């Protein structure tokens, strides 16, 4: 509890004790008024001050104004106990709301407690703690067991296990050894390691994630925008309604010759004002989204704004990139077929031609070759997007790629009957054979797609640059409903745009990619989800939602979290508005008194806030 909250609690206790004492003190008249004003000002002076400032700033209609008018009016009418009680319970509700919001923020701060306080730099044989912002790229930092890795880098010395729970939501530690890339925010669990930094602190993973979470509140959902606009018009409307309730019935009674009963109608109007206070909605709706985003962060799902969380709950179409999303993206050479030159020579030519490419297939060829590659032997490299590579190796022209590349070069090639990615190789303009490369499904891919179907997804679509035969085989195995193969990166954008045009406007399309080369498609979809994005700057920048590990099950978890959060939001909207309408009608008819009004305001707010913070555990 903060100092400010403690002061409010002390004022609440003092006001409550004074109110109880005054209830048993037999005083009347002016003395009674003076005595009741003591607890009233103890508990309500700040509300009266805010209301007065609002009037001076021409921002009259807010909850402070409503409380001030209602309580001052009650005291003027001689209802001293009720006037003080309304202000007392309103402050109790405000304290509770402040504590709940603070608890949510603390929970999120704990979940995202990945900002390092220092970095260890070795100087003259001793470790010196410095601000991470002061560490330059290429510096060697030392991370001892139990410390956070402060900056992204490569392990230069030592082996250890890393706790990535704050980033991925997974408790299983990861091993790290010399040569491995490690990212900031992980906790070093076992051995001392030395890391050569590859980024400045401001560009490191931990900084990007913290910026993402901190800025998420700036992107409001439709529900939040609606409540903001609703309160803007609702509060003045109920003030004028209360004024009409206080004035019109007595005037009508006078005209027709009945007792105007001014006190009775003014009391009803004041009750009407207390009931109408929109605190429950104005506080609980943003708090629900705030808690939902925090709960998602705990599960390793980073949401860039409540608008994306709300949109995800309306998802009906999920489009997947294949490689690295549904499959591991770890390609291995499974065989060499139809070779017209020695197989080891065929693999050597293919590995050298592909050695300048960063594509996973290129890396798999180099790995299968197994020897150090001397890139000075290679010249005239030309990488053709979506097709392959041409190069000159030791003066010999080599082409390695798919069937499109062979057709482009006018080279006849043979089909491969096995399922996998086929790299056709041509040497000096003649077909030399093909290399079969296989990619494995991720462990939870099938289960993840089954869970998405249970969540009501209408279509599960897979886009890939692979051959039709390979793509259809994978799609059948995992249960994808639609598959589009042999696509270039630009074709994926066109296909997503085509799907966007065909679907109903209210239903959202989600694209899920690995974040390496999917930025255009991630941006074009209604919601872009980058998975396995731990340390991927491109993914964090391009996607609306970032899954910090590569488990496909996190997709269904993210949708489940969004649906639960939105359900809580609408529960609060319907509950708060429903109770208030009932109490407003009863108050106008004189059935509900000021105590019922206190429940309609403070009671409803407390219940709504309690319901809202359930979103912190939306991933459970």
């Amino acid at each position: 509890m903060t100092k400010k909250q403690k002061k409010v609690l002390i004022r609440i206790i003092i006001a409550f004790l004074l109110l109880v004492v005054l209830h048993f003190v037999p005083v009347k008249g002016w003395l009674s008024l003076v005595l009741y004003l003591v607890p009233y000002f103890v508990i309500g002076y700040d509300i009266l001050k805010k209301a007065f400032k609002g009037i001076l700033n021409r921002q009259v209609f807010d909850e402070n104004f409503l409380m001030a008018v209602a309580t001052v009016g009650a005291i003027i009418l001689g209802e001293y106990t009720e006037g003080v009680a309304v202000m007392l319970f309103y402050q109790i509700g405000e304290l509770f709301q402040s504590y709940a919001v603070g608890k949510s923020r603390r929970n999120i701060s704990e979940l995202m407690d990945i900002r390092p306080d220092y970095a260890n730099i070795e100087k003259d044989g001793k470790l010196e703690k410095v601000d991470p912002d002061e560490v330059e790229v290429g510096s060697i930092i030392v991370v001892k067991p139990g410390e956070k890795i402060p900056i992204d880098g490569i392990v230069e010395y030592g082996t250890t296990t890393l706790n990535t729970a704050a980033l991925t939501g997974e408790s299983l530690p990861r091993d790290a050894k010399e040569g491995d890339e490690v990212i900031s925010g992980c906790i070093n669990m076992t051995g001392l390691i030395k890391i050569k930094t590859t980024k400045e602190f401001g560009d490191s993973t931990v900084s990007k994630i913290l910026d993402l979470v901190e800025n998420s509140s700036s992107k409001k959902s439709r529900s939040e925008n609606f409540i903001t606009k609703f309160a803007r018009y609702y509060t003045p409307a109920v003030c004028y309604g209360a004024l009409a309730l206080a004035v019109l019935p007595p005037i009508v009674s006078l005209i027709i010759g009945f007792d105007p009963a001014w006190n009775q109608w003014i009391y009803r109007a004041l009750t009407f004002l207390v009931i109408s206070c929109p605190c429950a909605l104005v506080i609980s709706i943003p708090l629900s989204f705030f808690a939902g985003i925090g709960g998602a962060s705990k599960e390793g799902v980073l949401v860039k704004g409540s608008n994306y969380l709300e949109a995800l709950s309306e998802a009906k179409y999920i489009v997947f990139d294949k490689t690295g999303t549904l499959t591991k993206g770890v390609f291995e050479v499974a065989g060499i077929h139809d070779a017209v030159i020695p197989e080891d020579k065929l693999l050597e030519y293919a590995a050298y031609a592909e050695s300048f490419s960063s594509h996973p297939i290129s890396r798999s060829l180099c790995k299968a070759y197994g020897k150090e590659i001397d890139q000075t032997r290679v010249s005239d490299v030309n990488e053709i997007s979506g097709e392959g590579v041409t190069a000159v190796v030791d003066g010999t022209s080599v082409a390695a790629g798919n069937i499109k590349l062979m057709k482009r070069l006018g080279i006849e090639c043979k089909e491969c009957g096995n399922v996998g990615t086929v790299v056709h190789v041509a040497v000096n303009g003649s077909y030399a054979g093909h290399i079969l490369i296989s990619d494995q499904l991720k462990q939870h891919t099938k289960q993840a797609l089954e869970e998405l179907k249970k969540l009501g997804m209408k279509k599960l679509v897979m886009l890939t640059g692979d051959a039709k035969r390979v793509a259809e085989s994978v799609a059948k195995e995992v249960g994808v409903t639609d598959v589009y193969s042999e696509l270039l990166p630009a074709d994926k954008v066109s296909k997503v745009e085509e799907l966007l045009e065909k679907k109903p406007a209210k239903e959202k399309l989600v694209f899920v990619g690995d974040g390496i080369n999917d930025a255009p498609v991630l941006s074009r979809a209604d919601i872009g989800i980058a998975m396995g994005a731990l340390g991927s700057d491109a993914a964090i920048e391009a996607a609306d939602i970032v899954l910090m590990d590569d488990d496909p099950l996190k997709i269904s978890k993210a949708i489940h979290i969004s649906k639960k959060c939105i359900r809580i939001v609408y529960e609060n909207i319907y509950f708060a508005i429903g109770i208030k309408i009932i109490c407003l009608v009863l108050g106008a008819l004189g059935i509900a008194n000021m105590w019922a009004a206190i429940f309609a305001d403070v009671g409803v707010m407390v219940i709504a806030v309690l319901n809202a913070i359930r979103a912190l555990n939306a991933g459970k």
Side-chain angles (χ1 to χ4, degrees):
M1 189 174 282
T2 64
K3 287 184 178 179
K4 185 177 179 181
Q5 290 170 343
K6 287 178 180 177
K7 286 180 180 178
V8 173
L9 179 60
I10 292 170
R11 287 167 54 203
I12 287 171
I13 294 170
I14 293 171
F16 176 75
L17 292 175
L18 289 173
L19 193 60
V20 171
V21 170
L22 288 172
H23 182 70
F24 295 101
V25 175
V27 291
K28 293 182 181 180
W30 285 101
L31 180 58
S32 177
L33 171 61
V34 171
L35 290 176
Y36 273 98
L37 284 177
V38 174
Y40 178 75
F41 283 115
V42 166
I43 196 61
Y45 73 86
D46 54 336
I47 303 299
L48 296 173
K49 185 178 178 181
K50 289 175 186 176
F52 183 68
K53 283 185 177 180
I55 294 170
L56 292 179
N57 295 328
R58 298 182 181 180
Q59 295 176 340
V60 178
F61 300 110
D62 61 11
E63 63 270 19
N64 297 305
F65 177 77
L66 296 182
M67 286 300 114
V69 171
T71 54
V72 170
I75 288 173
I76 291 172
L77 291 177
E79 303 290 346
Y80 306 143
T81 302
E82 293 186 8
V84 177
V86 167
M87 191 64 83
L88 175 64
F89 283 105
Y90 176 74
Q91 289 282 40
I92 291 172
E94 287 290 293
L95 177 62
F96 179 83
Q97 169 251 310
S98 172
Y99 181 76
V101 172
K103 186 175 185 295
S104 299
R105 291 189 183 278
R106 285 194 300 276
N107 285 345
I108 291 172
S109 298
E110 288 166 8
L111 299 175
M112 300 306 296
D113 185 21
I114 54 178
R115 187 188 298 278
D117 300 317
Y118 59 87
N120 295 317
I121 298 289
E122 197 168 5
K123 289 185 179 180
D124 301 325
K126 295 183 178 180
L127 291 183
E128 182 179 330
K129 292 182 179 180
V130 299
D131 191 310
D133 280 317
E134 298 174 5
V135 179
E136 297 179 354
V137 174
S139 301
I140 302 296
I141 58 174
V142 179
V143 183
K144 295 182 288 186
E147 293 183 333
K148 298 186 189 77
I149 294 177
I151 305 170
D152 297 4
I154 297 172
V155 178
E156 290 280 300
Y157 167 82
T159 59
T160 187
T161 54
L162 302 176
N163 181 348
T164 65
L167 298 172
T168 66
E170 298 295 333
S171 58
L172 191 66
R174 299 186 179 188
D175 294 328
K177 59 184 184 301
E178 290 180 15
D180 287 349
E181 290 186 12
V182 291
I183 62 169
S184 50
C186 300
I187 298 174
N188 182 19
M189 295 177 65
T190 53
L192 182 143
I193 54 174
K194 294 182 179 180
I195 299 170
K196 184 176 183 179
T197 61
T198 55
K199 296 178 182 177
E200 292 182 350
F201 176 69
D203 295 326
S204 63
T205 302
V206 65
S207 293
K208 288 183 178 293
I209 291 170
L210 289 168
D211 287 343
L212 185 156
V213 175
E214 287 165 4
N215 294 328
S216 63
S217 61
S218 64
K219 296 174 182 176
K220 304 293 185 184
S221 66
R222 293 195 310 272
S223 302
E224 287 178 284
N225 289 329
F226 164 75
I227 292 301
T228 302
K229 291 178 182 177
F230 175 79
R232 192 181 303 155
Y233 296 104
Y234 167 81
T235 308
V238 296
C239 287
Y240 292 126
L243 181 62
L245 186 63
V247 174
L248 294 181
I251 291 175
V252 172
S253 298
L254 278 173
I255 292 172
I256 61 177
F258 290 103
D259 180 7
W262 285 100
N263 282 8
Q264 176 185 327
W265 287 105
I266 291 173
Y267 180 82
R268 291 186 187 183
L270 297 175
T271 303
F272 188 91
L273 280 179
V274 175
I275 294 169
S276 64
C277 187
C279 297
L281 291 172
V282 173
I283 297 300
S284 69
I285 305 310
L287 179 59
S288 299
F289 282 109
F290 183 73
I293 290 173
S297 299
K298 185 178 182 180
E299 300 295 330
V301 179
L302 304 184
V303 185
K304 288 189 175 181
S306 56
N307 53 334
Y308 301 122
L309 196 66
E310 185 174 49
L312 188 61
S313 69
E314 300 168 353
K316 292 294 180 184
Y317 300 82
I318 313 286
V319 181
F320 299 93
D321 174 54
K322 181 181 81 70
T323 305
T325 303
L326 298 178
T327 62
K328 293 179 180 177
V330 180
F331 293 88
E332 295 182 352
V333 172
I336 299 173
H337 306 283
D338 298 327
V340 296
I341 60 174
E343 290 185 0
D344 58 344
K345 195 63 179 176
L346 179 73
L347 181 59
E348 181 181 358
Y349 276 137
Y352 268 85
E354 296 271 10
S355 63
F356 284 90
S357 174
S358 60
H359 194 281
I361 289 176
S362 304
R363 292 198 296 268
S364 71
L365 288 169
C366 295
K367 181 181 178 182
Y369 176 58
K371 301 175 184 178
E372 187 175 346
I373 291 178
D374 180 7
Q375 291 185 329
T376 60
R377 294 169 55 188
V378 188
S379 61
D380 299 332
V381 178
N382 180 26
E383 185 168 357
I384 303 168
S385 179
E387 295 186 13
V389 176
T390 62
V392 175
V393 181
D394 294 333
T396 302
S397 65
V398 178
N402 58 27
I403 198 167
K404 291 180 182 178
L405 180 63
M406 297 296 109
K407 288 180 178 178
R408 174 191 288 269
L409 300 174
I411 299 170
E412 290 187 10
C413 59
K414 298 178 181 180
E415 292 288 347
C416 180
N418 296 310
V419 175
T421 299
V422 177
V423 178
H424 297 280
V425 183
V427 178
N428 283 332
S430 299
Y431 189 70
H434 61 256
I435 301 169
L436 179 66
I437 296 175
S438 62
D439 185 13
Q440 301 297 315
L441 288 178
K442 290 181 179 177
Q443 181 181 359
H444 296 134
T445 295
K446 291 182 184 178
Q447 184 185 349
L449 269 65
E450 288 173 5
E451 290 294 326
L452 289 171
K453 288 176 182 177
K454 290 178 184 177
L455 286 169
M457 300 303 110
K458 289 185 176 180
K459 275 190 178 183
L460 300 176
V461 182
M462 186 178 79
L463 307 181
T464 179
D466 280 353
K468 183 177 181 181
R469 176 173 45 81
V470 177
E472 289 180 347
S473 173
V474 173
K476 184 178 179 181
E477 188 176 356
V478 300
V480 167
T481 54
D482 297 79
V483 58
Y484 301 93
S485 56
E486 300 179 6
L487 300 175
L488 297 173
D491 296 332
K492 292 182 181 180
V493 177
S494 300
K495 186 56 65 177
V496 166
E497 288 178 342
E498 183 183 319
L499 293 168
L500 285 168
E501 289 176 4
K502 290 180 180 178
K503 72 173 183 63
K506 290 184 178 180
E507 297 175 348
K508 303 299 182 185
L509 181 143
V510 179
F511 179 81
V512 186
D514 59 8
I516 297 171
N517 56 5
D518 295 318
V521 205
L522 286 166
S523 301
R524 184 64 189 90
D526 291 325
I527 308 125
I529 299 181
M531 63 181 301
L534 201 59
S536 171
D537 294 346
I540 291 176
E541 293 296 330
D544 305 314
I545 297 172
V546 180
L547 310 183
M548 294 308 291
D549 63 15
D550 62 357
D551 187 352
L553 276 174
K554 285 286 176 71
I555 304 165
S556 57
K557 178 161 282 189
I559 294 174
H560 171 75
I561 289 170
S562 69
K563 287 181 178 291
K564 183 172 180 179
C565 182
I566 297 303
R567 186 167 64 248
I568 289 171
V569 167
Y570 282 102
E571 284 171 359
N572 281 344
I573 290 174
Y574 295 141
F575 172 71
I577 292 179
I579 294 295
K580 283 187 179 294
I581 288 174
I582 292 170
C583 290
L584 284 172
V585 172
L586 294 176
L589 296 174
I591 299 172
N593 60 13
M594 197 68 79
W595 295 104
I598 292 171
F599 168 75
D601 176 33
V602 179
V604 168
M605 182 177 71
V606 169
I607 293 170
V609 168
L610 280 173
N611 194 39
I613 59 178
R614 286 175 51 228
L616 273 171
N617 298 313
K620 302 301 181 184

